[in-house]
């Protein structure tokens, strides 16, 4: 394997710094220190903090794509079990970080979308992609009879994405993943039972 | 009416600045400029930005209490209609601000709870209070037969609080309140129908 470039180091360490301290709370100095590279490296590789944040989002997205592949897009699971696996993967990610940090998408939604239209549009696109992946599961569940025939799959998918973000946000406040469990219970015991 | 003190001016203008720019994004300079007071006033009245943020939360809470009085605690409305009114009041607040800013509670949850244990605990307390007010409505709805007798009122109330936060977060990203409508529709057409 080739040595990671300063650019890669900045992105990888920077993602953690932005998750822990937020977009506005993470200074360029914090980021280069965490990456162990000279301060000048940042401006060599990124035209602005906004451009850096977009690339951090892309890196987080690439990591999240592995979660999606194991859950929402996992053909070995029944359609509704894919959604359950997705919620549990998100919960486990929170637990690995001591139920701190939360979700980078949610954090930037709260903090950065009024500062940067680029970030806002990228987040809207990412959430739309998640919604589509959930909706594919719901359509498959309707087709195989495991979800009600009259389920509004688009609305329910949008709801799943936003309610999961809310559950992650409350988990962060409580330092406890119980809000994610409560969302899962209500989704499966009520919303998806029709 | 007496003239507002510099302290009151800082809190009132500061609440708007924190809503618009975030906790880390709002500098003391931004806050005193918005308040039209000398820079030194801030440190005269607040021992730290954290202490200021706690008082901003109290001010936002006082304003939100009016919404709660008109909705969740409104004896002139049927129990479930109180919850519907609460969701709609939140939606209207978003609309008045061009679906920017979002909810101060959600924003600080995403951004500030890993910086300040005081803020985290205050937010946990505020969300617990909202959950209790929603649960009172749900218990009254179970009692008068407008909600299912076997409804888990504590879990459903916690879910309402977190799902509403998620809907507000997605509304902010989309600059559109449709996620709040979708949450309301699913809550009333499914979760509360049993």
């Amino acid at each position: 394997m080739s040595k990671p470039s300063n650019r890669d180091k900045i992105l990888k360490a920077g993602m953690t710094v932005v998750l822990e301290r937020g977009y506005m709370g993470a200074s360029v100095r914090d980021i280069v220190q965490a990456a162990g590279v000279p301060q000048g490296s940042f401006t060599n590789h990124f035209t602005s903090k906004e451009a850096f944040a977009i690339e951090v989002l892309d890196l987080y997205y690439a990591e999240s794509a592995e979660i999606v592949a194991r859950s929402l897009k996992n053909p070995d699971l029944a359609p509704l079990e894919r959604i359950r696996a997705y919620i549990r993967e998100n919960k486990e990610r929170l637990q690995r970080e001591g139920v701190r940090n939360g979700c980078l998408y949610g954090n930037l939604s709260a903090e950065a979308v009024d500062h940067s239209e680029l970030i806002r549009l990228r987040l809207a696109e990412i959430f739309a992609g998640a919604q589509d992946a959930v909706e594919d599961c719901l359509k498959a569940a309707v087709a195989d009879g495991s979800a009600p025939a009259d389920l509004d799959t688009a609305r329910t998918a949008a709801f799943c994405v936003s309610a999961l973000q809310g559950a992650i946000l409350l988990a962060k406040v409580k330092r406890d993943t119980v809000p994610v469990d409560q969302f899962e219970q209500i989704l499966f015991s009520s919303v998806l039972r029709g």
Side-chain angles (χ1 to χ4, degrees), chain A residues 97-151:
Chain A
E97 298 173 351
V99 204
R100 304 173 87 94
N101 301 347
C103 168
L104 185 65
Y105 303 148
N107 294 350
L108 290 180
S109 297
E111 192 199 359
V113 300
D114 293 335
H115 291 283
S116 162
E117 188 67 0
L118 268 182
I119 294 175
R120 185 180 79 77
L121 293 173
R122 181 74 186 110
L123 286 168
E125 185 179 48
I126 288 169
F127 284 128
Q131 181 181 329
D132 286 346
V134 173
E135 192 179 2
D136 286 346
C137 299
L138 294 175
K139 283 180 174 165
V142 169
D144 77 8
S146 55
D150 63 351
L151 188 75

Side-chain angles (χ1 to χ4, degrees), chain A residues 2-191:
Chain A
S2 63
K3 229 176 97 183
S5 67
N6 280 356
R7 194 175 194 288
D8 292 342
K9 286 184 196 166
I10 293 170
L11 279 175
K12 197 164 165 47
M15 184 173 78
T16 303
V17 175
V18 172
L19 258 171
E20 289 176 356
R21 304 191 200 171
Y23 175 62
M24 299 303 285
S27 68
V28 169
R29 192 195 190 114
D30 295 333
I31 294 162
V32 294
Q33 276 187 349
V37 302
Q39 177 116 13
S41 278
F42 190 92
T43 40
N44 287 345
H45 293 294
F46 303 98
T47 54
S48 63
K49 198 170 164 194
E50 184 185 43
F52 161 77
I54 293 288
E55 296 213 38
V56 163
L57 265 177
D58 288 343
L59 181 60
Y60 193 79
Y61 183 82
E63 291 192 8
S64 304
E66 294 169 27
I67 288 181
V68 170
R70 283 196 300 269
S71 57
L72 295 176
K73 299 196 175 174
N74 185 346
D76 297 333
L77 297 176
L80 294 186
E81 289 311 304
R82 292 175 208 160
I83 296 173
R84 198 187 286 278
Y86 181 64
I87 295 168
R88 295 200 172 164
E89 289 267 4
N90 272 279
K91 177 178 152 180
E92 283 159 19
R93 175 152 71 178
L94 287 171
Q95 284 168 331
R96 279 194 299 274
E97 298 173 351
V99 204
R100 304 173 87 94
N101 301 347
C103 168
L104 185 65
Y105 303 148
N107 294 350
L108 290 180
S109 297
E111 192 199 359
V113 300
D114 293 335
H115 291 283
S116 162
E117 188 67 0
L118 268 182
I119 294 175
R120 185 180 79 77
L121 293 173
R122 181 74 186 110
L123 286 168
E125 185 179 48
I126 288 169
F127 284 128
Q131 181 181 329
D132 286 346
V134 173
E135 192 179 2
D136 286 346
C137 299
L138 294 175
K139 283 180 174 165
V142 169
D144 77 8
S146 55
D150 63 351
L151 188 75
D152 183 330
T153 56
R155 185 167 77 188
T156 307
F159 161 78
C160 284
V161 170
S162 77
L164 177 59
Q165 280 298 324
I168 291 171
L169 201 61
L170 268 285
K172 191 174 164 175
V173 173
K174 296 186 179 184
R175 291 263 162 84
D176 187 322
T177 54
V178 72
V180 179
D181 295 330
Q182 289 168 325
F183 161 59
E184 182 189 330
Q185 287 155 357
I186 290 201
L187 180 67
F188 285 93
S189 70
S190 157
V191 178

